[in-house]
Amino acid sequence: MAGEKKSRAKSEQVKGKVKEAAGRAVGNERLEAEGRAEQAKGDARQAKEKAKDVFKH
């Protein structure tokens, strides 16, 4: 299950980067902001999972 959550965090980060790049390419600030938000969400999820691993071992 932890692996699933880690991959979910990574996919959110990647999806956010793609959205941000697409928004920048077409000049859509809203899409760009959504991409940054998704990246931040993925970063937070990844940090949470890393913290769990530290305390687990």
Side-chain angles (χ1 to χ4, degrees):
M1 181 124 132
E4 177 186 316
K5 289 183 180 181
K6 287 179 183 178
S7 66
R8 191 166 155 200
K10 197 62 166 171
S11 69
E12 282 180 344
Q13 290 171 327
V14 171
K15 195 166 89 173
K17 285 181 183 181
V18 170
K19 245 186 197 183
E20 182 181 9
R24 191 176 299 128
V26 297
N28 187 334
E29 291 180 15
R30 181 172 167 253
L31 187 61
E32 199 174 333
E34 284 178 14
R36 282 193 300 272
E38 276 190 44
Q39 284 182 60
K41 187 176 174 184
D43 290 343
R45 187 182 306 271
Q46 188 175 39
K48 176 182 158 189
E49 292 303 316
K50 283 184 180 181
K52 280 184 186 177
D53 287 346
V54 168
F55 290 110
K56 187 185 233 182
H57 297 288

